Amino acid sequence: MELGTAVRERRSIRKFKPADVPPDLVREILNAARWSPSWGNTQPWEFYILTGPILAKIKEMNMEKPAAGVPPAPDVPMPESWPENMKARYNELGKTVFSALGIAREDKASRFQHYQNMVTFFGAPCLILACISRNNVVEYPMLDVGLISQTICLLAHDKGLGTCILAAAASYPDAIRTIASIPEDKRIIVGIALGYPDLDFPLNHIDRKRAEISEFVHWVE
Ligand SMILES: Cc1cc2nc3c(=O)[nH]c(=O)nc-3n(C[C@H](O)[C@H](O)[C@H](O)COP(=O)(O)O)c2cc1C
């Protein structure tokens, strides 16, 4: 696939078919993605590929915790506020998502169901969990994880797979570490849901917005 096409076409997939992703295909994607750049070529990323019964247990835990009122405690704190222009974009995404799902503003049960779908990775049969060591600083390794994550998403798209980068996947890192036997010194950054996209699902076709470059590019002469 032509690179520009992959960049333009990749989109977050929020419903997957149950079919498993062949492990060799995941390996091929990660093998290509390891050529992503990183600070001083430190390659701070580590990935845990979660599938099968362990993934099922994490999905269960992710549903139980919010239902029991346990507040999320991610290793990387979630932002609590945004500058106005970003808040507006975030709110607009929420409106677009709920309107595509036909969920009204006051329909709390359906909204909660969408959240449950999110924390069960929209039915993805595979979750790529991106981690960095606690012995490392957070800032630049986060950037490096971001770079390789986008590379993974683009390569996956090229292979006919869908992805959704999910901060929500890392809401309860302590429980994930226990279930998946991930060492305590791994800081869980984000999950990438991976699977074959269900292209009949309206949420996988929402109209995505981006600011024009005039809004965020500053030419300095
Ligand atoms: C760091 C990061 C965290 C994200 N977390 C979530 C999430 O928890 N739930 C979700 O539905 N989408 C999540 N997304 C997907 C974004 O909402 C999505 O990338 C954005 O709306 C742009 O849409 P697109 O990916 O379809 O182009 C996340 C994306 C990034 C980069």
Side-chain angles (χ1 to χ4, degrees):
M1 181 182 289
E2 197 261 326
L3 181 61
T5 308
V7 170
R8 185 63 186 89
E9 277 186 355
R10 182 224 51 87
R11 54 163 54 240
S12 292
I13 292 299
R14 294 190 175 89
K15 188 170 181 186
F16 294 88
K17 294 179 178 170
D20 286 336
V21 183
D24 278 350
L25 192 49
V26 180
R27 208 168 281 121
E28 191 183 336
I29 289 167
L30 293 168
N31 199 35
R34 74 197 159 102
W35 292 100
S36 301
S38 60
W39 172 288
N41 201 25
T42 45
Q43 305 164 67
W45 45 69
E46 284 185 58
F47 295 104
Y48 289 82
I49 313 302
L50 308 177
T51 59
I54 295 287
L55 186 65
K57 268 191 196 165
I58 292 172
K59 289 180 181 181
E60 217 173 285
M61 176 279 294
N62 269 348
M63 285 200 289
E64 283 167 5
K65 295 256 186 212
V70 181
D75 289 340
V76 179
M78 299 224 184
E80 280 171 15
S81 64
W82 298 95
E84 280 308 317
N85 60 342
M86 296 178 209
K87 196 163 131 192
R89 291 171 191 154
Y90 191 28
N91 289 341
E92 190 179 359
L93 173 68
K95 272 189 205 150
T96 308
V97 164
F98 288 118
S99 120
L101 291 170
I103 297 174
R105 198 180 167 76
E106 59 286 354
D107 185 351
K108 287 200 174 129
S110 302
R111 282 173 175 250
F112 184 68
Q113 182 56 50
H114 173 69
Y115 183 75
Q116 297 281 58
N117 293 342
M118 190 188 300
V119 297
T120 50
F121 323 129
F122 302 118
C126 179
L127 184 77
I128 301 177
L129 209 56
C131 301
I132 58 174
S133 167
R134 279 193 207 278
N135 297 326
N136 206 339
V137 295
V138 174
E139 291 83 354
Y140 275 100
M142 288 280 291
L143 177 60
D144 299 337
V145 164
L147 291 168
I148 194 168
S149 297
Q150 162 77 338
T151 308
I152 290 169
C153 293
L154 291 174
L155 288 162
H157 179 66
D158 183 48
K159 300 284 182 196
L161 290 162
T163 54
C164 190
I165 298 178
L166 288 169
S171 298
Y172 301 101
D174 287 337
I176 295 178
R177 274 186 287 268
T178 304
I179 296 168
S181 307
I182 296 173
E184 180 52 36
D185 72 327
K186 309 295 174 201
R187 207 190 294 268
I188 298 176
I189 306 297
V190 84
I192 306 174
L194 178 73
Y196 291 95
D198 181 342
L199 295 175
D200 294 331
F201 192 54
L203 205 44
N204 289 339
H205 295 281
I206 52 171
D207 188 21
R208 297 167 309 140
K209 300 264 184 337
R210 292 295 194 268
E212 295 298 331
I213 62 168
S214 56
E215 287 182 53
F216 64 93
V217 177
H218 310 279
W219 301 92
V220 181
E221 287 179 21

